[in-house]
Amino acid sequence: MPKNIKLAKRSGFCYGVKRAVETVQKLKQQNPDKKICILGELIHNMHVIKELEDMGIKTIYEVPEHGEGICVIRSHGASPETLEKISNAGFELVDLTCPDVKKVQQKAIKLVQEGCFLVIVGKAEHPEVMAIKACAEQFGNDVVVATEIEQLKEYEQKIKEHKKVGVVVQTTQMISTLKEIVNYLIPISKEIIVENTICLSTSMRQKEAKDLAQETDLMVVVGSKKSANTSHLAEILKPITKTIHIEDDSELKDYNDLIEAAQNISITAGASTPDKIINNVMNKLKGE
């Protein structure tokens, strides 16, 4: 009996990632003789990074003392100090921070300026969160990052004493994590302002994947293990149905037994997964 294989409508590049990739490619086409580099991986997908390198677009991980050509800020954003460093090094700066991430930075700054103790719900080591924190800390020191209540316990007294508490969220976080943090903060805060800055694309992608999982024997999540939004998809789906997280079709062979046993298979993919990778997975599952 042939398998029933479905692909989530909301899978693959979100508009912020699409914008970043297309803009960088266009930059190279319009400036063939200029050196172009990106500070950090443009998106969390090694296939895309390799394609950009083949075009002559380099990824750098530190700002050199002296630079030439164009330096691109990736969709995750960067700290004000980093932006200044790039300009001072002599680069032409092109800022491709995702507009949704920019909004979080602006809301974080506003809350700190209004005297809030700021809680950023996100992973402290994630580049997007590091940039949000750095933006907010220009205007005050009461800024903490947390994805678990335990991480806030040491600040409990300070939170109780503060006039107001503000909350922003990493754009690719899970709504369940935000709820958990807010539920902890409400009884210990005099006043709390919550800005749900999870991007609409992330929320809709998660909701669609959860709906698909209800009627599926096996969910296949495609995308980089380094991608926060892709990892969260897998995390959300595992309690609902059998779920595997792969980076590309070459990993499907590791799950032959699960695939064989499943009649209904659904595929979803992270916001930094190219269509080509998704299609390869789809075709291999169909036996093409």
Side-chain angles (χ1 to χ4, degrees), residues 5 20 25 63 111 119 190 196 211 244:
I5 296 168
Q25 289 169 336
V63 181
L111 288 168
V119 177
K190 290 190 180 79
N196 177 4
D211 290 346
I244 61 173

Side-chain angles (χ1 to χ4, degrees), residues 153-167:
K153 290 278 171 76
E154 62 180 291
Y155 304 101
E156 194 165 303
Q157 197 50 43
K158 216 171 184 184
I159 291 166
K160 284 177 179 174
E161 289 165 5
H162 236 81
K163 195 171 57 179
K164 282 190 289 189
V165 175
V167 180

Side-chain angles (χ1 to χ4, degrees), residues 46-57:
M46 289 318 294
H47 297 274
V48 175
I49 303 305
K50 171 78 169 63
E51 279 176 21
L52 295 175
E53 278 176 4
D54 291 344
M55 288 178 72
I57 301 163

Side-chain angles (χ1 to χ4, degrees), residues 160-255:
K160 284 177 179 174
E161 289 165 5
H162 236 81
K163 195 171 57 179
K164 282 190 289 189
V165 175
V167 180
V168 295
V169 203
Q170 181 183 349
T171 56
T172 52
Q173 264 301 325
M174 298 184 290
I175 192 75
S176 57
T177 306
L178 173 61
K179 282 178 180 172
E180 198 178 317
I181 296 286
V182 171
N183 287 342
Y184 165 74
L185 289 170
I186 287 169
I188 61 168
S189 306
K190 290 190 180 79
E191 184 184 339
I192 184 165
I193 301 163
V194 180
E195 295 282 4
N196 177 4
T197 49
I198 297 171
C199 83
L200 187 61
S201 168
T202 296
S203 301
M204 290 165 79
R205 188 184 303 255
Q206 289 176 358
K207 186 188 181 305
E208 185 192 14
K210 278 162 79 174
D211 290 346
L212 274 176
Q214 305 284 353
E215 53 191 51
T216 294
D217 305 320
L218 178 66
M219 286 296 301
V220 180
V221 179
V222 187
S224 170
K225 304 284 196 316
K226 287 202 289 188
S227 160
N229 77 88
T230 313
S231 300
H232 287 147
L233 273 174
E235 206 178 315
I236 286 164
L237 299 173
K238 277 175 183 172
I240 304 171
T241 192
K242 286 189 176 71
T243 302
I244 61 173
H245 178 181
I246 59 170
E247 298 211 343
D248 57 39
D249 63 296
S250 68
E251 291 178 53
L252 285 172
K253 63 183 184 306
D254 302 332
Y255 302 98

Side-chain angles (χ1 to χ4, degrees), residues 33-165:
D33 303 324
K34 264 189 190 176
K35 287 184 178 175
I36 297 179
C37 64
I38 302 159
L39 183 60
E41 292 168 5
L42 182 68
I43 63 171
H44 284 142
N45 189 281
M46 289 318 294
H47 297 274
V48 175
I49 303 305
K50 171 78 169 63
E51 279 176 21
L52 295 175
E53 278 176 4
D54 291 344
M55 288 178 72
I57 301 163
K58 287 188 174 176
T59 300
I60 61 169
Y61 295 93
E62 281 181 20
V63 181
E65 207 171 310
H66 302 290
E68 59 172 301
I70 298 169
C71 184
V72 174
I73 295 297
R74 58 190 174 166
S75 46
H76 304 95
S79 69
E81 185 191 1
T82 300
L83 298 180
E84 197 179 338
K85 252 188 188 177
I86 290 168
S87 296
N88 290 344
F91 284 110
E92 184 186 329
L93 177 66
V94 173
D95 187 355
L96 291 183
T97 304
C98 172
D100 285 336
V101 174
K102 279 272 191 215
K103 280 180 202 163
V104 191
Q105 292 176 355
Q106 287 155 3
K107 285 179 188 291
I109 288 167
K110 187 169 179 280
L111 288 168
V112 172
Q113 285 176 327
E114 288 170 357
C116 289
F117 182 101
L118 183 68
V119 177
I120 302 167
V121 181
K123 291 189 175 175
E125 69 284 359
H126 193 281
E128 179 192 320
V129 175
M130 289 162 75
I132 295 164
K133 186 170 187 276
C135 288
E137 283 180 335
Q138 295 175 100
F139 302 95
N141 295 319
D142 290 329
V143 180
V144 298
V145 176
T147 50
E148 293 169 9
I149 290 163
E150 279 307 309
Q151 294 168 306
L152 290 173
K153 290 278 171 76
E154 62 180 291
Y155 304 101
E156 194 165 303
Q157 197 50 43
K158 216 171 184 184
I159 291 166
K160 284 177 179 174
E161 289 165 5
H162 236 81
K163 195 171 57 179
K164 282 190 289 189
V165 175

